[in-house]
Amino acid sequence: AQSVTQPDIHITVSEGASLELRCNYSYGATPYLFWYVQSPGQGLQLLLKYFSGDTLVQGIKGFEAEFKRSQSSFNLRKPSVHWSDAAEYFCAVGAWEVHSGGGADGLTFGKGTHLIIQP
Amino acid sequence: SQTIHQWPATLVQPVGSPLSLECTVEGTSNPNLYWYRQAAGRGLQLLFYSVGIGQISSEVPQNLSASRPQDRQFILSSKKLLLSDSGFYLCAWSVGIDYEQYFGPGTRLTVT
């Protein structure tokens, strides 16, 4: 079965500084990878996704992520964070081949990284 | 455009009481529907998913059940709540073979 590890439970970054959130996955074939953001008490919003092709993907709110197959990683980056970026960030993987029906299966999520922005 | 609704937004229920959470999607047809539970520090856990009316797949054995009486309606139920059922319940939808899922605002359930 696939799994996702987000090694950092909490990360504190100064406003204006760069950000990198780590995500490692375990899956035998090419995964479908996602980053979601969750503000307190809210649902999840999709930041970006990787299905295939260019391994550097751009998302909303100035975020990007790079898929590195050799490292089984899909780290999220932002060159300059804003106070409004404080939130919980989740990495997720979808495994196409696990069941028939492809994308109808649910995603497997990491436990999340809580991002704190210092003024 | 598509929208997803969940209600109630918050719910406090005693142990042993029944539960019914509702999720509806607008602006799309034949969506795949999902129920996730989010417990503190544990990320999101997939509970149920459905690819069509009356078709429910359970990922985790528990005292919860799900039903899909209409194409765009997904209901999460329990006959008797446990303390461990407390959490934040999220409904999500996707279309066809697209893995991209869209989440509702969630329901905060506290079992006392």
Side-chain angles (χ1 to χ4, degrees), chain A residues 23-116:
Chain A
C23 172
N24 293 97
Y25 68 90
S26 174
Y27 181 58
T30 299
Y32 294 75
L33 295 162
F34 304 83
W35 274 100
Y36 284 86
V37 61
Q38 184 182 33
S39 297
Q42 303 296 315
L44 276 69
Q45 181 183 22
L46 179 67
L47 286 175
L48 47 77
K49 60 187 178 185
Y50 172 77
F51 283 179
S52 64
D54 192 348
T55 57
L56 183 64
V57 294
Q58 303 296 321
I60 62 171
K61 303 185 179 185
F63 286 92
E64 66 177 25
E66 186 172 12
F67 171 60
K68 293 185 177 180
R69 183 188 302 275
S70 62
Q71 299 178 20
S72 297
S73 68
F74 188 56
N75 293 349
L76 182 71
R77 301 194 293 250
K78 187 170 184 178
S80 176
V81 297
H82 186 262
W83 64 267
S84 60
D85 293 324
E88 193 83 16
Y89 290 80
F90 293 94
C91 182
V93 61
W96 181 277
E97 287 85 3
V98 172
H99 303 283
S100 62
D105 303 340
L107 300 175
T108 298
F109 283 84
K111 293 186 177 181
T113 296
H114 184 61
L115 176 62
I116 301 167

Coordinates of all heavy atoms in Angstrom, one line a residue, chain A residues 23-116:
Chain A
C23 N 8.1 16.2 1.7 CA 7.1 15.1 1.6 C 7.8 13.9 0.9 O 8.5 14.1 -0.1 CB 6.0 15.6 0.7 SG 4.8 14.2 0.2
N24 N 7.7 12.8 1.5 CA 8.3 11.5 0.9 C 7.1 10.5 0.8 O 6.3 10.4 1.7 CB 9.4 10.9 1.8 CG 10.6 11.8 1.8 OD1 10.8 12.6 2.7 ND2 11.4 11.7 0.7
Y25 N 7.1 9.8 -0.3 CA 6.1 8.9 -0.5 C 6.7 7.5 -0.7 O 7.8 7.3 -1.1 CB 5.2 9.3 -1.7 CG 6.0 9.2 -3.0 CD1 6.0 8.0 -3.8 CD2 6.7 10.2 -3.5 CE1 6.7 7.9 -4.9 CE2 7.4 10.2 -4.6 CZ 7.4 9.0 -5.4 OH 8.1 8.9 -6.5
S26 N 5.8 6.5 -0.5 CA 6.2 5.1 -0.8 C 5.2 4.5 -1.7 O 4.0 4.4 -1.3 CB 6.3 4.3 0.5 OG 6.5 2.9 0.3
Y27 N 5.6 4.2 -2.9 CA 4.7 3.6 -3.9 C 5.5 3.0 -5.0 O 6.5 3.6 -5.4 CB 3.7 4.6 -4.4 CG 2.7 4.0 -5.4 CD1 1.9 3.0 -5.1 CD2 2.7 4.6 -6.7 CE1 1.0 2.4 -6.0 CE2 1.8 4.0 -7.6 CZ 1.0 3.0 -7.2 OH 0.1 2.4 -8.1
G28 N 5.1 1.8 -5.5 CA 5.9 1.1 -6.5 C 5.9 1.7 -7.9 O 6.9 1.6 -8.6
A29 N 4.9 2.3 -8.3 CA 4.8 2.9 -9.6 C 4.8 4.4 -9.6 O 5.0 5.0 -8.5 CB 3.5 2.3 -10.3
T30 N 4.5 5.0 -10.7 CA 4.4 6.5 -10.7 C 3.2 7.0 -10.0 O 2.1 6.6 -10.3 CB 4.4 7.0 -12.1 OG1 5.6 6.6 -12.8 CG2 4.3 8.5 -12.1
P31 N 3.4 7.8 -8.9 CA 2.2 8.2 -8.1 C 1.6 9.5 -8.7 O 2.2 10.2 -9.5 CB 2.9 8.5 -6.8 CG 4.2 9.0 -7.2 CD 4.7 8.3 -8.4
Y32 N 0.4 9.7 -8.3 CA -0.2 11.0 -8.5 C 0.0 11.8 -7.2 O -0.5 11.3 -6.1 CB -1.7 10.8 -8.8 CG -1.9 10.2 -10.2 CD1 -1.7 8.8 -10.3 CD2 -2.3 10.9 -11.3 CE1 -1.8 8.2 -11.5 CE2 -2.4 10.3 -12.5 CZ -2.2 8.9 -12.6 OH -2.4 8.3 -13.8
L33 N 0.6 13.0 -7.2 CA 1.0 13.7 -6.0 C 0.3 15.0 -5.9 O 0.1 15.7 -6.9 CB 2.5 13.9 -6.0 CG 3.3 12.5 -5.9 CD1 4.7 12.8 -6.3 CD2 3.2 12.0 -4.4
F34 N -0.1 15.4 -4.7 CA -0.8 16.6 -4.4 C -0.3 17.3 -3.2 O 0.2 16.7 -2.2 CB -2.3 16.3 -4.2 CG -3.0 15.5 -5.3 CD1 -2.8 14.1 -5.3 CD2 -3.7 16.2 -6.3 CE1 -3.5 13.4 -6.3 CE2 -4.3 15.5 -7.3 CZ -4.2 14.1 -7.3
W35 N -0.4 18.6 -3.2 CA -0.3 19.4 -1.9 C -1.6 20.2 -1.7 O -2.1 20.8 -2.6 CB 0.9 20.4 -2.0 CG 2.2 19.8 -1.7 CD1 3.2 19.4 -2.5 CD2 2.7 19.6 -0.3 NE1 4.3 18.9 -1.8 CE2 4.0 19.1 -0.5 CE3 2.2 19.9 0.9 CZ2 4.8 18.8 0.6 CZ3 3.0 19.6 2.0 CH2 4.3 19.0 1.9
Y36 N -2.1 20.0 -0.5 CA -3.3 20.8 -0.1 C -2.9 21.7 1.1 O -2.0 21.4 1.9 CB -4.4 19.8 0.4 CG -5.1 19.1 -0.7 CD1 -4.6 17.9 -1.2 CD2 -6.3 19.6 -1.2 CE1 -5.3 17.2 -2.2 CE2 -7.0 18.9 -2.2 CZ -6.5 17.7 -2.7 OH -7.2 17.1 -3.7
V37 N -3.7 22.7 1.3 CA -3.5 23.6 2.4 C -4.8 23.7 3.1 O -5.9 23.7 2.5 CB -3.0 25.0 2.0 CG1 -4.0 25.7 1.0 CG2 -2.8 25.9 3.2
Q38 N -4.7 23.8 4.5 CA -5.9 23.9 5.3 C -5.8 25.0 6.3 O -4.9 24.9 7.2 CB -6.2 22.5 6.0 CG -7.5 22.5 6.8 CD -7.7 21.2 7.6 OE1 -6.7 20.6 8.0 NE2 -8.9 20.8 7.7
S39 N -6.7 26.0 6.3 CA -6.7 27.0 7.3 C -7.5 26.5 8.5 O -8.3 25.5 8.3 CB -7.3 28.3 6.7 OG -6.5 28.8 5.7
P40 N -7.3 27.0 9.7 CA -8.0 26.4 10.9 C -9.5 26.3 10.7 O -10.2 27.3 10.3 CB -7.6 27.5 12.0 CG -6.3 28.0 11.5 CD -6.4 28.1 10.0
G41 N -10.0 25.2 11.0 CA -11.5 24.9 10.9 C -12.1 24.9 9.6 O -13.3 24.9 9.4
Q42 N -11.2 24.8 8.6 CA -11.7 24.9 7.2 C -11.4 23.6 6.4 O -10.7 22.7 6.9 CB -11.0 26.0 6.4 CG -11.2 27.4 7.0 CD -12.7 27.8 7.1 OE1 -13.4 27.7 6.1 NE2 -13.1 28.3 8.2
G43 N -12.0 23.5 5.3 CA -11.7 22.3 4.4 C -10.3 22.5 3.8 O -9.6 23.4 4.1
L44 N -10.0 21.6 2.9 CA -8.7 21.6 2.2 C -8.8 22.2 0.8 O -9.8 22.0 0.1 CB -8.2 20.2 2.0 CG -7.4 19.6 3.2 CD1 -8.4 19.3 4.4 CD2 -6.7 18.3 2.8
Q45 N -7.8 23.0 0.5 CA -7.7 23.6 -0.8 C -6.5 23.1 -1.5 O -5.4 23.0 -1.0 CB -7.6 25.2 -0.7 CG -7.5 25.9 -2.0 CD -7.3 27.4 -1.8 OE1 -6.9 27.9 -0.8 NE2 -7.7 28.1 -2.8
L46 N -6.7 22.7 -2.8 CA -5.6 22.2 -3.6 C -4.6 23.3 -4.0 O -5.0 24.3 -4.6 CB -6.2 21.5 -4.8 CG -5.1 20.9 -5.8 CD1 -4.4 19.7 -5.1 CD2 -5.8 20.5 -7.1
L47 N -3.4 23.1 -3.7 CA -2.3 24.0 -4.1 C -1.7 23.7 -5.5 O -1.5 24.5 -6.3 CB -1.2 24.0 -3.1 CG -1.4 24.7 -1.7 CD1 -0.2 24.5 -0.8 CD2 -1.7 26.2 -1.9
L48 N -1.4 22.4 -5.6 CA -0.8 21.9 -6.9 C -0.9 20.4 -7.0 O -1.2 19.8 -6.0 CB 0.6 22.5 -7.1 CG 1.6 22.3 -5.9 CD1 2.1 20.9 -5.7 CD2 2.7 23.3 -6.0
K49 N -0.6 19.9 -8.2 CA -0.6 18.5 -8.4 C 0.4 18.1 -9.4 O 0.8 18.9 -10.3 CB -2.0 18.1 -8.9 CG -2.4 18.7 -10.2 CD -3.8 18.4 -10.6 CE -4.2 19.2 -11.9 NZ -5.6 19.0 -12.2
Y50 N 0.8 16.8 -9.3 CA 1.7 16.2 -10.3 C 1.1 14.9 -10.8 O 0.9 14.0 -10.0 CB 3.1 16.0 -9.7 CG 4.0 15.2 -10.7 CD1 4.6 15.8 -11.7 CD2 4.2 13.8 -10.5 CE1 5.4 15.1 -12.6 CE2 5.0 13.1 -11.4 CZ 5.6 13.8 -12.4 OH 6.3 13.0 -13.3
F51 N 1.0 14.8 -12.1 CA 0.5 13.6 -12.7 C 1.6 13.0 -13.6 O 1.9 11.8 -13.5 CB -0.8 13.8 -13.5 CG -2.0 14.0 -12.7 CD1 -3.2 14.3 -13.4 CD2 -2.0 14.0 -11.4 CE1 -4.4 14.4 -12.7 CE2 -3.2 14.1 -10.6 CZ -4.4 14.4 -11.3
S52 N 2.2 13.8 -14.4 CA 3.3 13.3 -15.3 C 3.9 14.6 -15.9 O 3.5 15.7 -15.7 CB 2.7 12.4 -16.4 OG 1.8 13.1 -17.2
G53 N 4.9 14.3 -16.7 CA 5.5 15.4 -17.5 C 6.6 16.2 -16.6 O 7.3 15.6 -15.9
D54 N 6.6 17.5 -16.8 CA 7.6 18.3 -16.1 C 7.5 18.1 -14.6 O 6.5 18.2 -14.0 CB 7.3 19.8 -16.4 CG 8.4 20.7 -16.0 OD1 9.3 20.3 -15.3 OD2 8.4 21.9 -16.4
T55 N 8.7 17.8 -14.1 CA 8.7 17.5 -12.6 C 8.7 18.7 -11.7 O 8.5 18.5 -10.5 CB 10.0 16.7 -12.3 OG1 11.2 17.5 -12.7 CG2 10.1 15.4 -13.1
L56 N 8.8 19.9 -12.2 CA 8.6 21.1 -11.4 C 7.2 21.6 -11.8 O 7.0 22.0 -12.9 CB 9.7 22.1 -11.7 CG 9.6 23.4 -10.9 CD1 9.9 23.1 -9.4 CD2 10.7 24.4 -11.4
V57 N 6.3 21.6 -10.8 CA 5.0 22.1 -11.1 C 4.7 23.4 -10.3 O 5.1 23.5 -9.2 CB 3.9 21.0 -10.7 CG1 4.1 19.8 -11.6 CG2 4.1 20.6 -9.2
Q58 N 3.9 24.2 -10.9 CA 3.6 25.5 -10.3 C 2.1 25.4 -9.8 O 1.3 24.7 -10.4 CB 3.7 26.6 -11.3 CG 5.0 26.8 -12.0 CD 6.1 27.1 -11.0 OE1 5.9 27.9 -10.1 NE2 7.3 26.5 -11.1
G59 N 1.9 26.1 -8.7 CA 0.5 26.0 -8.1 C 0.0 27.4 -7.8 O 0.6 28.4 -8.3
I60 N -1.0 27.5 -7.1 CA -1.6 28.8 -6.7 C -0.8 29.4 -5.6 O 0.0 28.7 -4.9 CB -3.1 28.6 -6.3 CG1 -3.2 27.7 -5.1 CG2 -3.9 28.0 -7.5 CD1 -4.6 27.7 -4.5
K61 N -1.0 30.7 -5.3 CA -0.5 31.4 -4.2 C 1.1 31.4 -4.2 O 1.7 31.6 -3.2 CB -1.0 30.8 -2.9 CG -2.5 30.8 -2.7 CD -2.9 30.3 -1.3 CE -4.4 30.3 -1.2 NZ -4.8 30.0 0.2
G62 N 1.7 31.3 -5.4 CA 3.1 31.3 -5.5 C 3.9 30.1 -5.1 O 5.1 30.1 -5.0
F63 N 3.2 29.0 -4.9 CA 3.9 27.7 -4.5 C 4.3 26.9 -5.7 O 3.7 27.0 -6.8 CB 2.9 26.9 -3.6 CG 2.7 27.4 -2.2 CD1 1.7 28.2 -1.9 CD2 3.6 27.0 -1.2 CE1 1.5 28.7 -0.6 CE2 3.5 27.5 0.1 CZ 2.4 28.3 0.4
E64 N 5.3 26.1 -5.5 CA 5.8 25.2 -6.5 C 6.3 23.9 -5.8 O 6.5 23.9 -4.6 CB 6.9 25.8 -7.4 CG 8.2 26.0 -6.6 CD 9.3 26.5 -7.5 OE1 9.0 27.1 -8.6 OE2 10.5 26.3 -7.1
A65 N 6.3 22.8 -6.5 CA 6.8 21.6 -5.9 C 7.6 20.8 -7.0 O 7.3 21.0 -8.2 CB 5.7 20.7 -5.4
E66 N 8.6 20.1 -6.6 CA 9.4 19.3 -7.5 C 9.3 17.8 -7.2 O 9.5 17.4 -6.0 CB 10.8 19.8 -7.4 CG 11.7 19.1 -8.5 CD 13.1 19.7 -8.5 OE1 13.5 20.5 -7.6 OE2 13.8 19.4 -9.5
F67 N 9.0 17.1 -8.2 CA 8.9 15.6 -8.1 C 10.3 15.0 -8.3 O 10.9 15.3 -9.4 CB 7.9 15.0 -9.1 CG 7.9 13.5 -9.2 CD1 7.7 12.7 -8.1 CD2 8.2 12.9 -10.4 CE1 7.7 11.4 -8.2 CE2 8.2 11.5 -10.5 CZ 7.9 10.8 -9.4
K68 N 10.8 14.3 -7.4 CA 12.1 13.6 -7.6 C 11.9 12.1 -7.4 O 11.9 11.7 -6.2 CB 13.2 14.2 -6.6 CG 13.5 15.7 -6.9 CD 14.7 16.1 -6.0 CE 15.1 17.5 -6.3 NZ 16.2 18.0 -5.4
R69 N 11.9 11.4 -8.5 CA 11.6 10.0 -8.4 C 12.7 9.3 -7.6 O 12.4 8.4 -6.8 CB 11.5 9.4 -9.8 CG 11.2 7.9 -9.8 CD 11.3 7.4 -11.2 NE 10.4 8.1 -12.1 CZ 9.1 7.8 -12.3 NH1 8.6 6.8 -11.6 NH2 8.4 8.5 -13.2
S70 N 14.0 9.7 -7.8 CA 15.1 9.0 -7.2 C 15.1 9.1 -5.7 O 15.6 8.3 -4.9 CB 16.4 9.5 -7.7 OG 16.6 10.9 -7.4
Q71 N 14.5 10.2 -5.2 CA 14.4 10.4 -3.8 C 13.0 10.1 -3.2 O 12.7 10.3 -2.0 CB 14.8 11.8 -3.4 CG 16.2 12.2 -3.8 CD 16.6 13.6 -3.6 OE1 15.9 14.3 -2.8 NE2 17.6 14.1 -4.2
S72 N 12.1 9.7 -4.1 CA 10.7 9.5 -3.7 C 10.1 10.7 -2.9 O 9.5 10.6 -1.8 CB 10.5 8.3 -2.8 OG 10.9 7.1 -3.6
S73 N 10.4 11.9 -3.5 CA 10.0 13.1 -2.7 C 9.2 14.0 -3.6 O 9.3 14.0 -4.9 CB 11.3 13.9 -2.3 OG 12.0 14.4 -3.3
F74 N 8.5 14.9 -3.0 CA 7.6 15.9 -3.7 C 7.6 17.1 -2.7 O 6.6 17.4 -2.1 CB 6.2 15.3 -3.9 CG 5.4 16.2 -4.8 CD1 5.8 16.6 -6.1 CD2 4.1 16.6 -4.4 CE1 5.0 17.4 -6.9 CE2 3.3 17.4 -5.2 CZ 3.8 17.8 -6.5
N75 N 8.7 17.8 -2.6 CA 8.8 18.9 -1.7 C 8.1 20.2 -2.2 O 8.2 20.5 -3.4 CB 10.2 19.2 -1.3 CG 10.9 18.0 -0.6 OD1 10.2 17.1 -0.1 ND2 12.2 18.1 -0.5
L76 N 7.5 20.9 -1.3 CA 6.8 22.1 -1.6 C 7.6 23.3 -1.3 O 8.3 23.3 -0.2 CB 5.5 22.2 -0.8 CG 4.6 23.4 -1.0 CD1 3.9 23.3 -2.4 CD2 3.5 23.5 0.1
R77 N 7.7 24.3 -2.2 CA 8.5 25.5 -1.9 C 7.8 26.8 -2.2 O 6.8 26.8 -3.0 CB 9.8 25.4 -2.8 CG 10.6 24.2 -2.6 CD 12.0 24.3 -3.2 NE 11.9 24.4 -4.7 CZ 12.3 23.4 -5.5 NH1 12.8 22.3 -5.0 NH2 12.2 23.5 -6.8
K78 N 8.3 27.8 -1.6 CA 7.8 29.2 -1.9 C 9.0 30.1 -1.6 O 9.6 30.0 -0.5 CB 6.6 29.5 -1.0 CG 6.0 30.9 -1.4 CD 4.6 31.1 -0.7 CE 4.0 32.4 -1.3 NZ 2.7 32.7 -0.7
P79 N 9.3 31.0 -2.5 CA 10.5 31.8 -2.3 C 10.3 32.9 -1.2 O 11.3 33.2 -0.6 CB 10.6 32.5 -3.7 CG 9.3 32.4 -4.4 CD 8.7 31.1 -3.8
S80 N 9.1 33.3 -0.9 CA 8.9 34.4 0.1 C 7.6 34.2 0.7 O 6.5 34.4 0.0 CB 9.1 35.8 -0.6 OG 8.8 36.8 0.4
V81 N 7.5 33.8 2.0 CA 6.2 33.6 2.6 C 5.6 34.8 3.1 O 6.3 35.8 3.5 CB 6.4 32.5 3.7 CG1 6.8 31.2 3.2 CG2 7.3 33.0 4.8
H82 N 4.3 34.8 3.2 CA 3.5 35.9 3.7 C 2.8 35.4 5.0 O 2.5 34.2 5.1 CB 2.5 36.3 2.6 CG 1.7 37.5 3.0 ND1 0.4 37.4 3.5 CD2 1.9 38.8 2.9 CE1 -0.1 38.6 3.7 NE2 0.8 39.5 3.3
W83 N 2.4 36.3 5.8 CA 1.7 35.9 7.1 C 0.5 35.0 6.8 O 0.1 34.2 7.6 CB 1.3 37.1 7.9 CG 0.3 38.0 7.3 CD1 0.6 39.1 6.6 CD2 -1.1 37.9 7.4 NE1 -0.6 39.7 6.1 CE2 -1.7 38.9 6.6 CE3 -2.0 36.9 8.0 CZ2 -3.0 39.1 6.5 CZ3 -3.3 37.1 7.8 CH2 -3.8 38.2 7.1
S84 N -0.2 35.3 5.7 CA -1.4 34.6 5.3 C -1.1 33.1 4.9 O -2.1 32.3 4.8 CB -2.1 35.3 4.2 OG -1.3 35.4 3.0
D85 N 0.2 32.8 4.8 CA 0.5 31.4 4.5 C 0.5 30.5 5.7 O 0.6 29.2 5.6 CB 1.9 31.3 3.8 CG 1.9 32.0 2.5 OD1 0.9 31.9 1.7 OD2 3.0 32.6 2.1
A86 N 0.3 31.0 6.9 CA 0.3 30.2 8.1 C -1.0 29.3 8.0 O -2.1 29.8 7.9 CB 0.2 31.1 9.3
A87 N -0.7 28.0 8.1 CA -1.8 27.0 7.9 C -1.2 25.6 8.1 O 0.0 25.5 8.4 CB -2.4 27.2 6.5
E88 N -2.0 24.6 7.8 CA -1.6 23.2 7.8 C -1.5 22.8 6.4 O -2.4 23.1 5.6 CB -2.6 22.4 8.6 CG -2.2 21.0 8.9 CD -1.4 20.9 10.2 OE1 -1.4 21.9 11.0 OE2 -0.7 19.9 10.4
Y89 N -0.4 22.1 6.1 CA -0.1 21.7 4.7 C -0.1 20.2 4.7 O 0.6 19.5 5.5 CB 1.2 22.3 4.2 CG 1.1 23.8 4.0 CD1 1.2 24.7 5.1 CD2 0.8 24.3 2.7 CE1 1.0 26.0 4.9 CE2 0.7 25.7 2.5 CZ 0.8 26.5 3.6 OH 0.7 27.9 3.4
F90 N -0.8 19.6 3.7 CA -0.8 18.2 3.6 C -0.3 17.7 2.2 O -0.8 18.3 1.2 CB -2.3 17.7 3.7 CG -2.8 17.8 5.1 CD1 -3.5 18.9 5.5 CD2 -2.6 16.9 6.1 CE1 -4.0 19.1 6.8 CE2 -3.1 17.0 7.4 CZ -3.8 18.1 7.7
C91 N 0.5 16.7 2.2 CA 0.9 16.1 1.0 C 0.1 14.8 0.8 O -0.3 14.2 1.8 CB 2.4 15.7 1.1 SG 3.1 14.9 -0.4
A92 N -0.3 14.5 -0.4 CA -1.1 13.3 -0.6 C -0.7 12.6 -1.9 O -0.2 13.2 -2.8 CB -2.6 13.7 -0.7
V93 N -1.0 11.3 -1.9 CA -0.7 10.5 -3.1 C -1.9 9.7 -3.5 O -2.7 9.2 -2.6 CB 0.5 9.5 -2.7 CG1 0.2 8.6 -1.6 CG2 0.9 8.7 -4.0
G94 N -2.1 9.5 -4.8 CA -3.1 8.7 -5.3 C -2.4 7.5 -6.1 O -1.4 7.8 -6.8
A95 N -2.9 6.3 -5.9 CA -2.3 5.2 -6.5 C -3.2 4.6 -7.6 O -4.2 3.9 -7.2 CB -1.9 4.1 -5.5
W96 N -2.9 4.8 -8.8 CA -3.8 4.4 -9.9 C -4.0 2.9 -10.0 O -5.1 2.5 -10.2 CB -3.2 4.9 -11.2 CG -4.0 4.6 -12.4 CD1 -4.0 3.5 -13.1 CD2 -4.9 5.5 -13.0 NE1 -4.9 3.6 -14.1 CE2 -5.5 4.8 -14.1 CE3 -5.3 6.8 -12.8 CZ2 -6.4 5.4 -15.0 CZ3 -6.3 7.4 -13.6 CH2 -6.8 6.6 -14.7
E97 N -2.9 2.2 -9.8 CA -3.0 0.8 -10.1 C -3.6 -0.1 -8.9 O -3.8 -1.3 -9.1 CB -1.6 0.2 -10.5 CG -1.2 0.6 -11.8 CD -0.5 2.0 -11.8 OE1 -0.3 2.6 -10.7 OE2 -0.1 2.5 -12.8
V98 N -3.8 0.6 -7.8 CA -4.2 -0.3 -6.6 C -5.5 -0.9 -6.9 O -5.7 -2.1 -6.6 CB -4.2 0.6 -5.4 CG1 -4.8 -0.2 -4.2 CG2 -2.8 1.1 -5.0
H99 N -6.5 -0.1 -7.4 CA -7.8 -0.7 -7.6 C -8.2 -0.4 -9.1 O -7.7 0.6 -9.7 CB -8.8 -0.1 -6.7 CG -8.5 -0.2 -5.3 ND1 -8.7 -1.4 -4.6 CD2 -8.0 0.7 -4.4 CE1 -8.4 -1.2 -3.3 NE2 -7.9 0.0 -3.2
S100 N -9.1 -1.2 -9.6 CA -9.6 -0.8 -10.9 C -10.5 0.5 -10.7 O -11.0 0.7 -9.6 CB -10.5 -1.9 -11.5 OG -11.6 -2.2 -10.6
G101 N -10.6 1.3 -11.7 CA -11.4 2.5 -11.5 C -10.5 3.7 -11.3 O -11.0 4.8 -11.3
G102 N -9.2 3.5 -11.2 CA -8.3 4.6 -11.2 C -8.6 5.6 -10.2 O -8.7 5.4 -9.0
G103 N -8.9 6.8 -10.6 CA -9.0 8.0 -9.7 C -10.2 7.9 -8.8 O -10.3 8.8 -7.9
A104 N -11.0 6.9 -8.9 CA -12.2 6.9 -8.0 C -11.7 6.6 -6.5 O -12.5 6.8 -5.6 CB -13.2 5.9 -8.4
D105 N -10.6 6.0 -6.4 CA -10.1 5.7 -5.0 C -9.7 6.9 -4.3 O -9.4 7.9 -4.8 CB -8.9 4.7 -5.1 CG -9.2 3.5 -5.8 OD1 -10.4 3.1 -6.0 OD2 -8.2 2.9 -6.3
G106 N -9.7 6.8 -2.9 CA -9.4 8.0 -2.1 C -7.9 8.2 -2.1 O -7.1 7.3 -2.6
L107 N -7.5 9.4 -1.7 CA -6.1 9.7 -1.6 C -5.5 9.2 -0.2 O -6.3 9.1 0.8 CB -5.9 11.2 -1.7 CG -6.3 11.8 -3.0 CD1 -6.2 13.3 -3.0 CD2 -5.5 11.3 -4.2
T108 N -4.2 9.0 -0.2 CA -3.5 8.8 1.1 C -2.8 10.0 1.5 O -2.0 10.5 0.7 CB -2.5 7.6 1.0 OG1 -3.3 6.4 0.6 CG2 -1.8 7.4 2.3
F109 N -3.0 10.5 2.7 CA -2.5 11.8 3.1 C -1.4 11.6 4.1 O -1.4 10.6 4.9 CB -3.6 12.6 3.8 CG -4.5 13.3 2.8 CD1 -5.6 12.6 2.3 CD2 -4.3 14.6 2.4 CE1 -6.5 13.2 1.4 CE2 -5.2 15.2 1.5 CZ -6.3 14.5 1.0
G110 N -0.4 12.5 4.1 CA 0.5 12.6 5.2 C -0.2 13.2 6.4 O -1.3 13.6 6.4
K111 N 0.6 13.3 7.5 CA 0.0 13.8 8.8 C 0.0 15.3 8.9 O -0.6 15.9 9.8 CB 0.7 13.2 10.0 CG 0.4 11.7 10.1 CD 1.0 11.1 11.4 CE 0.7 9.6 11.5 NZ 1.2 9.1 12.8
G112 N 0.6 15.9 7.9 CA 0.5 17.4 7.8 C 1.7 18.1 8.5 O 2.4 17.5 9.4
T113 N 2.0 19.3 8.0 CA 3.0 20.1 8.6 C 2.4 21.5 8.9 O 1.7 22.1 8.1 CB 4.2 20.4 7.6 OG1 4.8 19.2 7.3 CG2 5.2 21.4 8.2
H114 N 2.5 21.9 10.2 CA 1.9 23.1 10.6 C 2.9 24.2 10.4 O 4.0 24.2 11.0 CB 1.5 23.0 12.1 CG 0.8 24.2 12.7 ND1 -0.4 24.6 12.2 CD2 1.2 25.1 13.6 CE1 -0.7 25.7 12.8 NE2 0.2 26.0 13.7
L115 N 2.6 25.2 9.6 CA 3.5 26.3 9.3 C 3.1 27.5 10.1 O 2.0 28.0 10.1 CB 3.4 26.6 7.8 CG 4.2 27.8 7.3 CD1 5.7 27.6 7.5 CD2 3.9 28.1 5.9
I116 N 4.1 28.0 10.8 CA 4.0 29.2 11.6 C 4.8 30.3 11.0 O 6.0 30.1 10.6 CB 4.4 28.9 13.1 CG1 3.6 27.8 13.7 CG2 4.4 30.2 13.9 CD1 4.2 27.3 15.0

